[in-house]
Amino acid sequence: MTWAPCLILDDKQIFKYSSTDHVKIDTLGPDTRVYLTGGEPTIMTEVLDFMERCIDRGRTDFDFTLGTNGQKLSPKFLELSDHFTNMNFSFSLDGYGRINDYWRWGSDWDTVIKNAHLLQDRGHTISINTVHNLERNECAKALQEIERVSRKGSFITVDAYRNDEEKERMYAWNLTAKTIMSVNEWIE
């Protein structure tokens, strides 16, 4: 079965899997990170099954992040997610407001914001991972909006580099980012 990239991180190793079938649930704990992307993990039966297996085995205290478009959160998914003590959602957006809706056909910005608030109200952490797809001046506006809608700590993921070698690789790899800066430039 192949359905979603799965990345497990700990202090020593990085493992990549094509499904959660390879994740050793009994080894998951506070020092482990599982990051699932899709498709759309919030509606994928395989992800719901994985979450249920973790709950059944009492393994709900690992760093668990799902990449999402923020559109669909079923009652079952929400109930399962509440069992995890470190549940994070990395919202993949292609702009602010109508720009996101234009680039992501079928997306509705109001739904994204409503669902971000819903997840935060349930104690989960939100990140926005495509702020860098905006022009630099639009990034500032998006960051202000992220701060405005945040009810507890939020974080963003951006394209950044630490040295000339990383900068060269970043520009060679990038397909969509309009704002790529050094780590220090993003911090400023």
Side-chain angles (χ1 to χ4, degrees):
M1 165 185 11
T2 319
W3 56 270
C6 174
L7 179 65
I8 298 180
L9 301 168
D10 64 24
D11 290 338
K12 299 176 185 164
Q13 301 176 34
I14 298 175
F15 302 100
K16 293 183 182 179
Y17 296 105
S18 59
S19 86
T20 59
D21 293 342
H22 298 88
V23 177
K24 295 177 182 173
I25 292 174
D26 292 329
T27 66
L28 298 176
D31 296 330
T32 309
R33 175 179 294 159
V34 175
Y35 183 85
L36 300 177
T37 62
E40 176 55 36
T42 62
I43 61 171
M44 295 171 72
T45 304
E46 295 90 343
V47 173
L48 299 176
D49 292 345
F50 172 74
M51 293 170 75
E52 287 176 337
R53 289 193 314 271
C54 289
I55 293 164
D56 290 346
R57 294 183 186 171
R59 297 296 182 159
T60 58
D61 61 345
F62 59 94
D63 184 342
F64 190 16
T65 301
L66 297 180
T68 180
N69 61 24
Q71 292 298 305
K72 303 214 186 288
L73 302 174
S74 71
K76 179 177 181 176
F77 174 80
L78 291 170
E79 190 276 322
L80 292 173
S81 70
D82 288 344
H83 288 271
F84 293 84
T85 57
N86 193 5
M87 190 84 191
N88 311 290
F89 294 87
S90 181
F91 277 61
S92 182
L93 307 174
D94 292 324
Y96 172 80
R98 290 183 300 153
I99 295 169
N100 180 70
D101 295 350
Y102 174 80
W103 286 109
R104 283 197 176 249
W105 185 84
S107 182
D108 176 70
W109 184 256
D110 292 336
T111 300
V112 170
I113 298 302
K114 178 188 79 148
N115 285 339
H117 284 160
L118 176 63
L119 292 168
Q120 286 180 317
D121 288 346
R122 296 172 93 93
H124 305 307
T125 302
I126 305 300
S127 96
I128 308 296
N129 72 358
T130 53
V131 170
H132 54 264
N133 286 354
L134 303 171
E135 298 292 350
R136 190 171 181 158
N137 64 331
E138 294 172 318
C139 283
K141 183 177 179 180
L143 293 171
Q144 289 171 342
E145 181 65 6
I146 291 167
E147 215 168 291
R148 183 185 73 78
V149 301
S150 295
R151 295 191 179 156
K152 79 172 212 180
S154 293
F155 62 96
I156 62 169
T157 305
V158 295
D159 286 340
Y161 54 86
R162 295 171 291 193
N163 55 49
D164 288 337
E165 182 182 341
E166 287 182 359
K167 181 178 181 178
E168 186 178 323
R169 284 196 315 243
M170 182 67 69
Y171 276 95
W173 166 81
N174 174 59
L175 296 176
T176 60
K178 295 180 180 179
T179 303
I180 300 173
M181 297 186 288
S182 71
V183 171
N184 291 336
E185 288 173 308
W186 279 108
I187 291 171
E188 291 171 7

